[in-house]
Amino acid sequence: MSAKSVKSKIKKGADKSESRIASAAASLSNGAGTLNRRGGAMKDRLSYIGRHLLGSTRDLTDEVSAQAHLRPWAVFGIAFAAGVIITRALRR
């Protein structure tokens, strides 16, 4: 084998490698763009759910507070019963 044919084969191999690397880079770039778009949509959805849960929590807190003012003994009894149940569950 001559030096010229060896150089030619090396050049062909390098060209193929360069082409494959460029293809892989383009594919990774496309995948990153897709992930970024999907991540943005997921972030928006989770943000919406978080705001909804926060609003629901505020409503529930307001309702519990109102009931506590109307029926303090009932709230005390429920809290006492919950404490007893949790204590018994944790002892097992």
Side-chain angles (χ1 to χ4, degrees):
M1 235 190 205
S2 70
K4 197 174 197 179
S5 75
V6 171
K7 284 182 182 179
S8 174
K9 287 184 180 184
I10 290 173
K11 184 170 179 358
K12 284 181 185 178
D15 289 343
K16 282 183 183 179
S17 296
E18 184 179 350
S19 173
R20 288 180 181 162
I21 290 171
S23 174
S27 181
L28 286 173
S29 179
N30 290 339
T34 300
L35 277 176
N36 193 17
R37 285 189 301 278
R38 288 183 181 172
M42 182 65 79
K43 180 181 174 186
D44 292 342
R45 184 167 172 91
L46 288 175
S47 179
Y48 170 77
I49 291 170
R51 285 192 307 272
H52 179 71
L53 287 175
L54 185 59
S56 296
T57 302
R58 285 184 185 143
D59 293 343
L60 182 62
T61 303
D62 292 343
E63 184 63 32
V64 168
S65 178
Q67 290 300 318
H69 288 294
L70 292 174
R71 298 174 185 86
W73 287 106
V75 172
F76 175 75
I78 291 170
F80 182 78
V84 169
I85 292 169
I86 291 172
T87 301
R88 287 188 180 178
L90 291 176
R91 285 187 182 171
R92 292 182 182 181

